[in-house]
Amino acid sequence: MVRVKAHELRGKPKDELVKQLNTLKQELSQLRVAKVTGGAASKLGKIRVVRKSIARVLTVSSHSQRDNLKKYYRKKKYKPIDLRPKLTRAKRRQLTKFERTRKTLRQHKKDIHFPQRIYAVRS
């Protein structure tokens, strides 16, 4: 089988990718049998190409699956951990803007009943 290109795989639907993956795996098993039985050098060199092609197919399928999940969870309140932004540990634990600006009931009453005084300054 010819080397598989990732950009060609991206347009294909999932069932086609699965079918191609199965054919590649089957070909790999045949090449491994040929290796054990002492096959030609051309077949032995082909094992690496087939393995890399399998990796490409799996990568493209997982990327498309992640894209679909991202679209699904875009408007949801909670997302799975692997779809959330990584950031740093400190940034993840930081208060949100809403949490930072909240005031206690006591502080709110204090601000209402005793507002900041405004003084006129003579020049």
Side-chain angles (χ1 to χ4, degrees):
M1 187 168 236
V2 185
R3 187 170 175 268
V4 179
K5 302 266 196 286
H7 69 89
E8 294 169 356
L9 294 172
R10 286 196 184 98
K12 291 185 177 181
K14 185 183 174 187
D15 56 330
E16 240 179 274
L17 288 175
V18 171
K19 192 177 3 172
Q20 188 165 9
L21 183 66
N22 289 335
T23 58
L24 284 169
K25 283 184 177 181
Q26 193 173 12
E27 185 179 355
L28 182 63
S29 66
Q30 289 170 355
L31 289 171
R32 284 189 173 146
V33 167
K35 179 183 174 184
V36 171
T37 57
S42 61
K43 283 193 173 185
L44 296 180
K46 206 173 179 189
I47 290 175
R48 183 176 186 275
V49 175
V50 174
R51 280 180 51 236
K52 301 299 177 184
S53 297
I54 289 171
R56 278 190 199 90
V57 171
L58 288 171
T59 302
V60 168
S61 67
S62 67
H63 278 217
S64 62
Q65 188 178 13
R66 273 183 67 87
D67 287 342
N68 290 337
L69 285 171
K70 280 182 181 178
K71 284 177 190 171
Y72 176 75
Y73 283 106
R74 187 166 286 144
K75 301 290 181 184
K76 305 278 189 219
K77 185 174 181 183
Y78 298 110
K79 292 181 185 176
I81 292 172
D82 60 330
L83 296 180
R84 294 177 196 165
K86 180 76 166 98
L87 304 174
T88 60
R89 190 168 189 266
K91 286 243 183 203
R92 288 194 301 266
R93 280 151 181 74
Q94 198 174 38
L95 292 176
T96 62
K97 188 169 190 266
F98 176 74
E99 291 168 341
R100 269 181 280 162
T101 56
R102 296 219 45 198
K103 292 182 180 177
T104 61
L105 183 62
R106 183 182 176 111
Q107 184 64 45
H108 186 68
K109 285 180 180 177
K110 188 176 167 187
D111 290 345
I112 289 171
H113 295 300
F114 303 102
Q116 181 79 42
R117 299 243 172 124
I118 300 167
Y119 297 100
V121 180
R122 275 194 187 167
S123 56

